[in-house]
PDB file of all heavy atoms in Angstrom:
ATOM      1  N   ILE H 174      60.330  44.056  70.515  1.00 96.00           N
ATOM      2  CA  ILE H 174      59.183  44.587  69.798  1.00 96.00           C
ATOM      3  C   ILE H 174      58.345  43.417  69.216  1.00 96.00           C
ATOM      4  O   ILE H 174      57.147  43.379  69.477  1.00 96.00           O
ATOM      5  CB  ILE H 174      59.582  45.570  68.708  1.00 96.00           C
ATOM      6  CG1 ILE H 174      60.278  46.740  69.294  1.00 96.00           C
ATOM      7  CG2 ILE H 174      58.299  46.050  67.953  1.00 96.00           C
ATOM      8  CD1 ILE H 174      60.846  47.737  68.222  1.00 96.00           C
ATOM      9  N   CYS H 175      58.943  42.581  68.449  1.00 96.00           N
ATOM     10  CA  CYS H 175      58.178  41.479  67.835  1.00 96.00           C
ATOM     11  C   CYS H 175      59.176  40.418  67.375  1.00 96.00           C
ATOM     12  O   CYS H 175      60.417  40.673  67.320  1.00 96.00           O
ATOM     13  CB  CYS H 175      57.276  41.952  66.747  1.00 96.00           C
ATOM     14  SG  CYS H 175      58.144  42.620  65.254  1.00 96.00           S
ATOM     15  N   ILE H 176      58.636  39.270  67.000  1.00 96.00           N
ATOM     16  CA  ILE H 176      59.407  38.163  66.525  1.00 96.00           C
ATOM     17  C   ILE H 176      58.675  37.593  65.269  1.00 96.00           C
ATOM     18  O   ILE H 176      57.511  37.315  65.374  1.00 96.00           O
ATOM     19  CB  ILE H 176      59.636  37.066  67.540  1.00 96.00           C
ATOM     20  CG1 ILE H 176      60.346  37.730  68.799  1.00 96.00           C
ATOM     21  CG2 ILE H 176      60.573  35.939  66.997  1.00 96.00           C
ATOM     22  CD1 ILE H 176      60.495  36.707  69.930  1.00 96.00           C
ATOM     23  N   GLN H 177      59.449  37.365  64.260  1.00 96.00           N
ATOM     24  CA  GLN H 177      58.886  36.859  62.984  1.00 96.00           C
ATOM     25  C   GLN H 177      59.466  35.497  62.654  1.00 96.00           C
ATOM     26  O   GLN H 177      60.747  35.265  62.835  1.00 96.00           O
ATOM     27  CB  GLN H 177      59.071  37.810  61.846  1.00 96.00           C
ATOM     28  CG  GLN H 177      58.493  37.331  60.534  1.00 96.00           C
ATOM     29  CD  GLN H 177      58.813  38.300  59.388  1.00 96.00           C
ATOM     30  OE1 GLN H 177      59.419  39.369  59.612  1.00 96.00           O
ATOM     31  NE2 GLN H 177      58.235  38.039  58.232  1.00 96.00           N
ATOM     32  N   SER H 178      58.657  34.559  62.258  1.00 93.00           N
ATOM     33  CA  SER H 178      59.216  33.232  61.797  1.00 93.00           C
ATOM     34  C   SER H 178      59.844  33.388  60.474  1.00 93.00           C
ATOM     35  O   SER H 178      59.306  34.070  59.501  1.00 93.00           O
ATOM     36  CB  SER H 178      58.054  32.222  61.777  1.00 93.00           C
ATOM     37  OG  SER H 178      58.497  30.999  61.223  1.00 93.00           O
ATOM     38  N   SER H 179      60.958  32.674  60.286  1.00 86.00           N
ATOM     39  CA  SER H 179      61.705  32.791  59.007  1.00 86.00           C
ATOM     40  C   SER H 179      62.291  31.386  58.800  1.00 86.00           C
ATOM     41  O   SER H 179      63.426  31.069  59.122  1.00 86.00           O
ATOM     42  CB  SER H 179      62.770  33.809  59.061  1.00 86.00           C
ATOM     43  OG  SER H 179      63.520  33.925  57.838  1.00 86.00           O
ATOM     44  N   ASP H 180      61.494  30.453  58.104  1.00 83.00           N
ATOM     45  CA  ASP H 180      61.936  29.089  57.844  1.00 83.00           C
ATOM     46  C   ASP H 180      62.190  28.397  59.195  1.00 83.00           C
ATOM     47  O   ASP H 180      61.414  28.325  60.103  1.00 83.00           O
ATOM     48  CB  ASP H 180      63.046  28.976  56.936  1.00 83.00           C
ATOM     49  CG  ASP H 180      62.682  29.497  55.578  1.00 83.00           C
ATOM     50  OD1 ASP H 180      61.461  29.285  55.110  1.00 83.00           O
ATOM     51  OD2 ASP H 180      63.484  30.129  54.841  1.00 83.00           O
ATOM     52  N   ASN H 181      63.474  27.950  59.376  1.00 86.00           N
ATOM     53  CA  ASN H 181      63.879  27.295  60.613  1.00 86.00           C
ATOM     54  C   ASN H 181      64.456  28.272  61.635  1.00 86.00           C
ATOM     55  O   ASN H 181      65.080  27.827  62.631  1.00 86.00           O
ATOM     56  CB  ASN H 181      64.908  26.157  60.324  1.00 86.00           C
ATOM     57  CG  ASN H 181      64.268  25.048  59.494  1.00 86.00           C
ATOM     58  OD1 ASN H 181      63.090  24.717  59.690  1.00 86.00           O
ATOM     59  ND2 ASN H 181      65.077  24.538  58.575  1.00 86.00           N
ATOM     60  N   TYR H 182      64.246  29.491  61.392  1.00 92.00           N
ATOM     61  CA  TYR H 182      64.767  30.583  62.267  1.00 92.00           C
ATOM     62  C   TYR H 182      63.696  31.447  62.740  1.00 92.00           C
ATOM     63  O   TYR H 182      62.516  31.473  62.177  1.00 92.00           O
ATOM     64  CB  TYR H 182      65.900  31.387  61.533  1.00 92.00           C
ATOM     65  CG  TYR H 182      67.113  30.604  61.195  1.00 92.00           C
ATOM     66  CD1 TYR H 182      67.179  29.806  60.099  1.00 92.00           C
ATOM     67  CD2 TYR H 182      68.235  30.737  62.034  1.00 92.00           C
ATOM     68  CE1 TYR H 182      68.343  29.082  59.812  1.00 92.00           C
ATOM     69  CE2 TYR H 182      69.418  30.057  61.707  1.00 92.00           C
ATOM     70  CZ  TYR H 182      69.457  29.222  60.640  1.00 92.00           C
ATOM     71  OH  TYR H 182      70.608  28.555  60.332  1.00 92.00           O
ATOM     72  N   VAL H 183      63.989  32.333  63.743  1.00 94.00           N
ATOM     73  CA  VAL H 183      63.112  33.431  64.121  1.00 94.00           C
ATOM     74  C   VAL H 183      63.970  34.691  63.986  1.00 94.00           C
ATOM     75  O   VAL H 183      65.118  34.666  64.362  1.00 94.00           O
ATOM     76  CB  VAL H 183      62.547  33.269  65.528  1.00 94.00           C
ATOM     77  CG1 VAL H 183      61.497  32.099  65.567  1.00 94.00           C
ATOM     78  CG2 VAL H 183      63.613  33.118  66.576  1.00 94.00           C
ATOM     79  N   GLU H 184      63.350  35.716  63.547  1.00 95.00           N
ATOM     80  CA  GLU H 184      63.932  37.046  63.386  1.00 95.00           C
ATOM     81  C   GLU H 184      63.424  37.927  64.502  1.00 95.00           C
ATOM     82  O   GLU H 184      62.202  38.207  64.526  1.00 95.00           O
ATOM     83  CB  GLU H 184      63.714  37.632  62.041  1.00 95.00           C
ATOM     84  CG  GLU H 184      64.586  38.873  61.799  1.00 95.00           C
ATOM     85  CD  GLU H 184      64.556  39.305  60.361  1.00 95.00           C
ATOM     86  OE1 GLU H 184      63.553  38.935  59.599  1.00 95.00           O
ATOM     87  OE2 GLU H 184      65.355  40.140  59.922  1.00 95.00           O
ATOM     88  N   VAL H 185      64.294  38.361  65.438  1.00 96.00           N
ATOM     89  CA  VAL H 185      63.866  39.193  66.604  1.00 96.00           C
ATOM     90  C   VAL H 185      64.129  40.577  66.356  1.00 96.00           C
ATOM     91  O   VAL H 185      65.236  41.070  65.951  1.00 96.00           O
ATOM     92  CB  VAL H 185      64.695  38.752  67.851  1.00 96.00           C
ATOM     93  CG1 VAL H 185      64.213  39.465  69.032  1.00 96.00           C
ATOM     94  CG2 VAL H 185      64.581  37.250  68.096  1.00 96.00           C
ATOM     95  N   PHE H 186      63.061  41.394  66.436  1.00 96.00           N
ATOM     96  CA  PHE H 186      63.171  42.839  66.262  1.00 96.00           C
ATOM     97  C   PHE H 186      63.166  43.487  67.655  1.00 96.00           C
ATOM     98  O   PHE H 186      62.260  43.310  68.414  1.00 96.00           O
ATOM     99  CB  PHE H 186      61.941  43.427  65.494  1.00 96.00           C
ATOM    100  CG  PHE H 186      61.886  42.947  64.118  1.00 96.00           C
ATOM    101  CD1 PHE H 186      61.428  41.662  63.783  1.00 96.00           C
ATOM    102  CD2 PHE H 186      62.253  43.730  63.024  1.00 96.00           C
ATOM    103  CE1 PHE H 186      61.347  41.176  62.508  1.00 96.00           C
ATOM    104  CE2 PHE H 186      62.181  43.268  61.713  1.00 96.00           C
ATOM    105  CZ  PHE H 186      61.712  42.057  61.431  1.00 96.00           C
ATOM    106  N   TYR H 187      64.202  44.269  67.941  1.00 95.00           N
ATOM    107  CA  TYR H 187      64.290  44.836  69.335  1.00 95.00           C
ATOM    108  C   TYR H 187      65.001  46.181  69.281  1.00 95.00           C
ATOM    109  O   TYR H 187      65.592  46.547  68.225  1.00 95.00           O
ATOM    110  CB  TYR H 187      65.073  43.883  70.236  1.00 95.00           C
ATOM    111  CG  TYR H 187      66.548  43.606  69.805  1.00 95.00           C
ATOM    112  CD1 TYR H 187      67.556  44.288  70.456  1.00 95.00           C
ATOM    113  CD2 TYR H 187      66.809  42.673  68.823  1.00 95.00           C
ATOM    114  CE1 TYR H 187      68.864  44.058  70.030  1.00 95.00           C
ATOM    115  CE2 TYR H 187      68.141  42.444  68.444  1.00 95.00           C
ATOM    116  CZ  TYR H 187      69.155  43.067  69.055  1.00 95.00           C
ATOM    117  OH  TYR H 187      70.451  42.911  68.679  1.00 95.00           O
ATOM    118  N   LEU H 188      64.913  46.895  70.390  1.00 93.00           N
ATOM    119  CA  LEU H 188      65.573  48.201  70.522  1.00 93.00           C
ATOM    120  C   LEU H 188      66.891  48.074  71.278  1.00 93.00           C
ATOM    121  O   LEU H 188      67.028  47.442  72.287  1.00 93.00           O
ATOM    122  CB  LEU H 188      64.638  49.187  71.289  1.00 93.00           C
ATOM    123  CG  LEU H 188      63.342  49.548  70.577  1.00 93.00           C
ATOM    124  CD1 LEU H 188      62.395  50.352  71.546  1.00 93.00           C
ATOM    125  CD2 LEU H 188      63.622  50.306  69.288  1.00 93.00           C
ATOM    126  N   ASP H 189      67.881  48.793  70.739  1.00 86.00           N
ATOM    127  CA  ASP H 189      69.091  48.990  71.423  1.00 86.00           C
ATOM    128  C   ASP H 189      69.300  50.453  71.625  1.00 86.00           C
ATOM    129  O   ASP H 189      69.756  51.172  70.735  1.00 86.00           O
ATOM    130  CB  ASP H 189      70.336  48.415  70.632  1.00 86.00           C
ATOM    131  CG  ASP H 189      71.644  48.529  71.337  1.00 86.00           C
ATOM    132  OD1 ASP H 189      71.677  49.008  72.516  1.00 86.00           O
ATOM    133  OD2 ASP H 189      72.661  48.143  70.740  1.00 86.00           O
ATOM    134  N   GLY H 190      68.898  50.960  72.846  1.00 78.00           N
ATOM    135  CA  GLY H 190      68.839  52.425  72.963  1.00 78.00           C
ATOM    136  C   GLY H 190      67.587  52.873  72.239  1.00 78.00           C
ATOM    137  O   GLY H 190      66.457  52.498  72.496  1.00 78.00           O
ATOM    138  N   THR H 191      67.838  53.741  71.228  1.00 80.00           N
ATOM    139  CA  THR H 191      66.709  54.194  70.306  1.00 80.00           C
ATOM    140  C   THR H 191      66.790  53.545  68.911  1.00 80.00           C
ATOM    141  O   THR H 191      65.989  53.901  68.121  1.00 80.00           O
ATOM    142  CB  THR H 191      66.776  55.752  70.197  1.00 80.00           C
ATOM    143  OG1 THR H 191      68.088  56.104  69.690  1.00 80.00           O
ATOM    144  CG2 THR H 191      66.579  56.398  71.570  1.00 80.00           C
ATOM    145  N   MET H 192      67.768  52.677  68.764  1.00 87.00           N
ATOM    146  CA  MET H 192      68.037  52.068  67.400  1.00 87.00           C
ATOM    147  C   MET H 192      67.255  50.785  67.339  1.00 87.00           C
ATOM    148  O   MET H 192      67.304  49.967  68.212  1.00 87.00           O
ATOM    149  CB  MET H 192      69.463  51.905  67.091  1.00 87.00           C
ATOM    150  CG  MET H 192      70.247  53.155  66.989  1.00 87.00           C
ATOM    151  SD  MET H 192      72.016  52.836  66.705  1.00 87.00           S
ATOM    152  CE  MET H 192      71.893  51.962  65.168  1.00 87.00           C
ATOM    153  N   LEU H 193      66.624  50.520  66.146  1.00 93.00           N
ATOM    154  CA  LEU H 193      65.983  49.281  65.902  1.00 93.00           C
ATOM    155  C   LEU H 193      66.988  48.267  65.411  1.00 93.00           C
ATOM    156  O   LEU H 193      67.774  48.551  64.417  1.00 93.00           O
ATOM    157  CB  LEU H 193      64.831  49.405  64.824  1.00 93.00           C
ATOM    158  CG  LEU H 193      64.222  48.172  64.382  1.00 93.00           C
ATOM    159  CD1 LEU H 193      63.456  47.478  65.504  1.00 93.00           C
ATOM    160  CD2 LEU H 193      63.256  48.464  63.205  1.00 93.00           C
ATOM    161  N   LYS H 194      67.095  47.102  65.940  1.00 94.00           N
ATOM    162  CA  LYS H 194      67.971  46.043  65.551  1.00 94.00           C
ATOM    163  C   LYS H 194      67.275  44.705  65.276  1.00 94.00           C
ATOM    164  O   LYS H 194      66.187  44.514  65.767  1.00 94.00           O
ATOM    165  CB  LYS H 194      69.137  45.883  66.532  1.00 94.00           C
ATOM    166  CG  LYS H 194      70.082  47.055  66.638  1.00 94.00           C
ATOM    167  CD  LYS H 194      71.338  46.687  67.471  1.00 94.00           C
ATOM    168  CE  LYS H 194      72.377  47.834  67.456  1.00 94.00           C
ATOM    169  NZ  LYS H 194      73.577  47.522  68.098  1.00 94.00           N
ATOM    170  N   LYS H 195      67.912  43.823  64.564  1.00 94.00           N
ATOM    171  CA  LYS H 195      67.311  42.543  64.250  1.00 94.00           C
ATOM    172  C   LYS H 195      68.432  41.475  64.552  1.00 94.00           C
ATOM    173  O   LYS H 195      69.560  41.681  64.258  1.00 94.00           O
ATOM    174  CB  LYS H 195      66.917  42.434  62.781  1.00 94.00           C
ATOM    175  CG  LYS H 195      65.976  43.467  62.326  1.00 94.00           C
ATOM    176  CD  LYS H 195      65.710  43.406  60.843  1.00 94.00           C
ATOM    177  CE  LYS H 195      64.934  44.524  60.321  1.00 94.00           C
ATOM    178  NZ  LYS H 195      64.663  44.461  58.806  1.00 94.00           N
ATOM    179  N   SER H 196      67.917  40.337  65.069  1.00 93.00           N
ATOM    180  CA  SER H 196      68.799  39.188  65.299  1.00 93.00           C
ATOM    181  C   SER H 196      68.125  37.945  64.755  1.00 93.00           C
ATOM    182  O   SER H 196      66.914  37.749  64.995  1.00 93.00           O
ATOM    183  CB  SER H 196      69.195  39.030  66.730  1.00 93.00           C
ATOM    184  OG  SER H 196      70.109  39.979  67.191  1.00 93.00           O
ATOM    185  N   LEU H 197      68.896  37.092  64.082  1.00 92.00           N
ATOM    186  CA  LEU H 197      68.318  35.815  63.491  1.00 92.00           C
ATOM    187  C   LEU H 197      68.842  34.716  64.362  1.00 92.00           C
ATOM    188  O   LEU H 197      70.052  34.534  64.583  1.00 92.00           O
ATOM    189  CB  LEU H 197      68.828  35.679  62.110  1.00 92.00           C
ATOM    190  CG  LEU H 197      68.043  34.674  61.132  1.00 92.00           C
ATOM    191  CD1 LEU H 197      66.595  35.226  60.979  1.00 92.00           C
ATOM    192  CD2 LEU H 197      68.710  34.525  59.785  1.00 92.00           C
ATOM    193  N   ILE H 198      67.897  33.931  64.916  1.00 93.00           N
ATOM    194  CA  ILE H 198      68.161  32.781  65.828  1.00 93.00           C
ATOM    195  C   ILE H 198      67.489  31.531  65.373  1.00 93.00           C
ATOM    196  O   ILE H 198      66.327  31.541  64.954  1.00 93.00           O
ATOM    197  CB  ILE H 198      67.682  33.166  67.275  1.00 93.00           C
ATOM    198  CG1 ILE H 198      68.452  34.389  67.772  1.00 93.00           C
ATOM    199  CG2 ILE H 198      67.912  31.970  68.241  1.00 93.00           C
ATOM    200  CD1 ILE H 198      67.928  34.898  69.150  1.00 93.00           C
ATOM    201  N   ARG H 199      68.207  30.433  65.373  1.00 92.00           N
ATOM    202  CA  ARG H 199      67.716  29.185  64.924  1.00 92.00           C
ATOM    203  C   ARG H 199      66.756  28.598  66.044  1.00 92.00           C
ATOM    204  O   ARG H 199      67.215  28.084  67.011  1.00 92.00           O
ATOM    205  CB  ARG H 199      68.849  28.190  64.630  1.00 92.00           C
ATOM    206  CG  ARG H 199      68.354  26.865  63.991  1.00 92.00           C
ATOM    207  CD  ARG H 199      69.457  26.039  63.441  1.00 92.00           C
ATOM    208  NE  ARG H 199      70.532  25.933  64.409  1.00 92.00           N
ATOM    209  CZ  ARG H 199      71.712  25.334  64.131  1.00 92.00           C
ATOM    210  NH1 ARG H 199      71.968  24.867  62.972  1.00 92.00           N
ATOM    211  NH2 ARG H 199      72.592  25.205  65.116  1.00 92.00           N
ATOM    212  N   ASN H 200      65.528  28.740  65.764  1.00 92.00           N
ATOM    213  CA  ASN H 200      64.448  28.214  66.694  1.00 92.00           C
ATOM    214  C   ASN H 200      63.114  28.343  65.991  1.00 92.00           C
ATOM    215  O   ASN H 200      63.022  28.920  64.901  1.00 92.00           O
ATOM    216  CB  ASN H 200      64.490  29.071  67.973  1.00 92.00           C
ATOM    217  CG  ASN H 200      63.858  28.350  69.138  1.00 92.00           C
ATOM    218  OD1 ASN H 200      63.119  27.389  69.004  1.00 92.00           O
ATOM    219  ND2 ASN H 200      64.380  28.646  70.370  1.00 92.00           N
ATOM    220  N   THR H 201      62.034  27.807  66.614  1.00 92.00           N
ATOM    221  CA  THR H 201      60.753  27.953  66.051  1.00 92.00           C
ATOM    222  C   THR H 201      59.962  28.967  66.831  1.00 92.00           C
ATOM    223  O   THR H 201      60.123  29.175  68.030  1.00 92.00           O
ATOM    224  CB  THR H 201      60.020  26.615  66.083  1.00 92.00           C
ATOM    225  OG1 THR H 201      59.739  26.259  67.406  1.00 92.00           O
ATOM    226  CG2 THR H 201      60.832  25.549  65.338  1.00 92.00           C
ATOM    227  N   LEU H 202      59.023  29.539  66.151  1.00 93.00           N
ATOM    228  CA  LEU H 202      58.182  30.597  66.768  1.00 93.00           C
ATOM    229  C   LEU H 202      57.355  30.027  67.851  1.00 93.00           C
ATOM    230  O   LEU H 202      57.089  30.611  68.900  1.00 93.00           O
ATOM    231  CB  LEU H 202      57.309  31.249  65.674  1.00 93.00           C
ATOM    232  CG  LEU H 202      56.687  32.644  66.071  1.00 93.00           C
ATOM    233  CD1 LEU H 202      57.774  33.658  66.297  1.00 93.00           C
ATOM    234  CD2 LEU H 202      55.687  33.075  64.978  1.00 93.00           C
ATOM    235  N   SER H 203      56.798  28.771  67.696  1.00 92.00           N
ATOM    236  CA  SER H 203      56.036  28.132  68.718  1.00 92.00           C
ATOM    237  C   SER H 203      56.788  27.952  70.011  1.00 92.00           C
ATOM    238  O   SER H 203      56.255  28.211  71.140  1.00 92.00           O
ATOM    239  CB  SER H 203      55.446  26.821  68.233  1.00 92.00           C
ATOM    240  OG  SER H 203      54.620  26.987  67.129  1.00 92.00           O
ATOM    241  N   LYS H 204      58.005  27.529  69.944  1.00 92.00           N
ATOM    242  CA  LYS H 204      58.805  27.287  71.105  1.00 92.00           C
ATOM    243  C   LYS H 204      59.086  28.619  71.869  1.00 92.00           C
ATOM    244  O   LYS H 204      59.013  28.703  73.123  1.00 92.00           O
ATOM    245  CB  LYS H 204      60.172  26.689  70.757  1.00 92.00           C
ATOM    246  CG  LYS H 204      60.045  25.256  70.374  1.00 92.00           C
ATOM    247  CD  LYS H 204      61.417  24.613  70.056  1.00 92.00           C
ATOM    248  CE  LYS H 204      61.316  23.104  69.697  1.00 92.00           C
ATOM    249  NZ  LYS H 204      62.634  22.518  69.370  1.00 92.00           N
ATOM    250  N   VAL H 205      59.362  29.702  71.088  1.00 92.00           N
ATOM    251  CA  VAL H 205      59.580  30.994  71.757  1.00 92.00           C
ATOM    252  C   VAL H 205      58.295  31.468  72.374  1.00 92.00           C
ATOM    253  O   VAL H 205      58.336  32.023  73.479  1.00 92.00           O
ATOM    254  CB  VAL H 205      60.100  32.019  70.671  1.00 92.00           C
ATOM    255  CG1 VAL H 205      60.206  33.369  71.320  1.00 92.00           C
ATOM    256  CG2 VAL H 205      61.491  31.550  70.112  1.00 92.00           C
ATOM    257  N   ALA H 206      57.150  31.341  71.671  1.00 92.00           N
ATOM    258  CA  ALA H 206      55.896  31.775  72.244  1.00 92.00           C
ATOM    259  C   ALA H 206      55.522  30.999  73.557  1.00 92.00           C
ATOM    260  O   ALA H 206      55.050  31.624  74.504  1.00 92.00           O
ATOM    261  CB  ALA H 206      54.777  31.558  71.228  1.00 92.00           C
ATOM    262  N   ASN H 207      55.809  29.788  73.584  1.00 92.00           N
ATOM    263  CA  ASN H 207      55.546  28.964  74.827  1.00 92.00           C
ATOM    264  C   ASN H 207      56.440  29.350  75.967  1.00 92.00           C
ATOM    265  O   ASN H 207      56.128  29.273  77.087  1.00 92.00           O
ATOM    266  CB  ASN H 207      55.725  27.451  74.502  1.00 92.00           C
ATOM    267  CG  ASN H 207      54.637  26.919  73.586  1.00 92.00           C
ATOM    268  OD1 ASN H 207      53.491  27.495  73.537  1.00 92.00           O
ATOM    269  ND2 ASN H 207      54.931  25.850  72.875  1.00 92.00           N
ATOM    270  N   ALA H 208      57.733  29.790  75.617  1.00 92.00           N
ATOM    271  CA  ALA H 208      58.684  30.149  76.638  1.00 92.00           C
ATOM    272  C   ALA H 208      58.334  31.501  77.240  1.00 92.00           C
ATOM    273  O   ALA H 208      58.640  31.753  78.360  1.00 92.00           O
ATOM    274  CB  ALA H 208      60.107  30.196  76.004  1.00 92.00           C
TER     275      ALA H 208
END
Side-chain angles (χ1 to χ4, degrees):
I174 299 177
C175 65
I176 304 175
Q177 180 180 4
S178 175
S179 180
D180 295 327
N181 296 322
Y182 292 82
V183 291
E184 190 170 16
V185 183
F186 295 77
Y187 63 99
L188 293 173
D189 184 2
T191 57
M192 294 180 60
L193 175 65
K194 290 193 174 182
K195 305 176 187 178
S196 284
L197 202 61
I198 297 175
R199 186 167 51 183
N200 205 334
T201 65
L202 198 65
S203 295
K204 287 182 179 179
V205 176
N207 291 335

